Amino acid sequence: MEFMPNFQLHRPETIEEALQARTNNDEALYVAGGTDMLVNVRRGIEQPKNLVDLSAISGMKSITKDSDGLHIGAGVTLRELQDHKAVVKNYTAISQSAKAVAGATHQMYGTVGGNLCLDTRCLFYNQSEWWRQSNDYCLKERGDTCHVAPGGKRCFAAFSGDMAPSMLIYNAEVDIAGEGGVKRVALKDLYKNDGLDHLSLKTGELVTGVHLPQELAGDPSSYEKARIRGSIDFPLAGVAVRLRKSADGSIEDLAIALTAVNPYPQIVSGLEDLIGAKFSEESAIRVRDTVRKQAKPMRTTTVAPWYRRRVVGAIAKRRAAGKAAQARKSR
């Protein structure tokens, strides 16, 4: 049986108090819903002396709309997000991805910020203490060998959050609070292609909110993931697609993002020449093949990498074709 270690819990009521608690206490970590973090703490993967609980910060729990778009606090729960009318209507893939995270109970506690900052996962990392110890740990945690690629010096743990790809296709931005105040950056710049250090956050920095631009509101979009079981499991491969057509039926804008097949959630590149053309079976095959080339799954789960690569391509093809078949959005 695994027991929770001893740690000091801090419950700030403002973002400023949270930053101070994180700065003033040794080996402190932020925790929001805790649906992933506390599992890692219990398994000994994370061993904080201090936990800074963000659940009492009301300033991170609102969803507001203005002329610039939709503004979502990082403390908003996945359950709240998936049922929000503006999200369901104008940013459909985001609602779908929130519904796809784990199970219904997890969604009641899991938060937007927590899912965006989810730790990378690997078959050799997300295990019990005795299991990891018997395998001399791994490059990501207390070891010096990546068991996925023993000959290399790089960690290939995969990012497996569901929210990031759906927000990436809407050109989302995030607010990050730190010692120098609050800065706003593109969501894509939050991530690095490094399973060991996959976030660009500096020590103590905190994601406080997400912003979705008004100019993309209403674009047809969807999210789908493959997983071993139909609920609870993290994605083996996930795809978000946003596709807007013009009056003549040609593609006006197209964005595709992936999760769980690389150490970071990624926007698919190389599809620019599809813009201005009618979507066809050839277009769908082009989407599939491009996605397969850019997905680089490794042996981080019990499912073979070649299968995950084929699955992510098939999902992208199906979702893109489905959005292309929808009527043109009204502006």
Side-chain angles (χ1 to χ4, degrees):
M1 181 180 292
E2 298 169 315
F3 298 95
M4 290 294 284
N6 291 323
F7 55 80
Q8 182 70 38
L9 182 66
H10 306 266
R11 292 203 77 209
E13 295 183 355
T14 66
I15 293 172
E16 292 73 22
E17 290 177 0
L19 294 174
Q20 187 175 22
R22 175 67 177 79
T23 301
N24 294 345
N25 293 281
D26 294 334
E27 298 181 31
L29 294 174
Y30 293 123
V31 60
T35 54
D36 189 61
M37 166 72 74
L38 294 184
V39 175
N40 284 351
V41 172
R42 188 167 185 170
R43 285 180 165 178
I45 294 172
E46 300 283 5
Q47 302 180 45
K49 292 182 178 179
N50 294 272
L51 279 179
V52 181
D53 180 8
L54 306 174
S55 62
I57 303 177
S58 59
M60 292 172 55
K61 294 185 176 182
S62 63
I63 301 177
T64 59
K65 185 179 182 301
D66 59 25
S67 59
D68 293 329
L70 199 66
H71 311 287
I72 304 167
V76 171
T77 67
L78 301 173
R79 178 63 179 273
E80 293 169 328
L81 186 69
Q82 66 183 254
D83 293 330
H84 194 276
K85 291 182 179 180
V87 177
V88 174
K89 178 181 179 181
N90 294 321
Y91 307 95
T92 307
I94 293 175
S95 173
Q96 292 175 349
S97 60
K99 290 180 180 179
V101 177
T105 305
H106 300 88
Q107 295 161 16
M108 294 175 66
Y109 293 94
T111 64
V112 172
N115 198 262
L116 290 178
C117 296
L118 194 70
D119 192 13
T120 52
R121 300 183 63 80
C122 180
L123 179 66
F124 298 93
Y125 173 69
N126 297 95
Q127 298 287 353
S128 64
E129 172 66 18
W130 69 264
W131 193 98
R132 288 179 292 113
Q133 185 181 41
S134 67
N135 284 277
D136 294 325
Y137 298 100
C138 70
L139 187 63
K140 186 170 171 65
E141 205 263 336
R142 280 186 277 174
D144 55 13
T145 300
C146 175
H147 299 298
V148 171
K153 295 298 181 181
R154 184 179 166 210
C155 173
F156 292 95
F159 178 83
S160 301
D162 290 288
M163 299 305 307
S166 292
M167 291 186 168
L168 284 172
I169 62 173
Y170 280 103
N171 297 339
E173 296 178 316
V174 290
D175 281 345
I176 300 173
E179 289 184 357
V182 178
K183 60 184 178 182
R184 184 170 294 182
V185 302
L187 176 60
K188 64 182 179 62
D189 294 332
L190 178 64
Y191 302 105
K192 298 187 292 184
N193 188 12
D194 182 351
L196 186 61
D197 183 24
H198 74 294
L199 297 177
S200 61
L201 295 174
K202 297 178 182 177
T203 301
E205 286 189 331
L206 173 65
V207 173
T208 60
V210 182
H211 304 274
L212 304 172
Q214 178 60 33
E215 58 266 24
L216 298 180
D219 277 8
S221 67
S222 65
Y223 173 76
E224 181 182 344
K225 74 177 182 181
R227 48 186 165 182
I228 295 176
R229 294 173 291 184
S231 64
I232 301 177
D233 285 340
F234 287 91
L236 299 171
V239 182
V241 175
R242 177 178 60 82
L243 190 152
R244 183 200 315 151
K245 295 197 297 184
S246 59
D248 65 0
S250 60
I251 301 172
E252 186 175 325
D253 196 13
L254 172 64
I256 299 176
L258 314 177
T259 188
V261 290
N262 280 301
Y264 69 112
Q266 66 185 113
I267 288 282
V268 176
S269 61
L271 297 174
E272 295 80 8
D273 58 342
L274 295 181
I275 305 298
K278 299 290 182 65
F279 196 89
S280 62
E281 179 61 20
E282 290 73 19
S283 303
I285 292 173
R286 170 69 183 282
V287 166
R288 180 198 67 191
D289 293 347
T290 300
V291 165
R292 284 181 179 175
K293 288 179 181 178
Q294 295 181 30
K296 306 292 183 182
M298 299 289 285
R299 192 167 55 98
T300 55
T301 77
T302 56
V303 178
W306 66 264
Y307 175 80
R308 291 161 63 201
R309 185 178 295 110
R310 291 181 66 86
V311 164
V312 78
I315 294 174
K317 177 186 175 183
R318 178 169 60 249
R319 287 295 169 177
K323 292 304 102 181
Q326 284 187 214
R328 182 178 66 93
K329 61 161 285 190
S330 58
R331 281 194 174 273

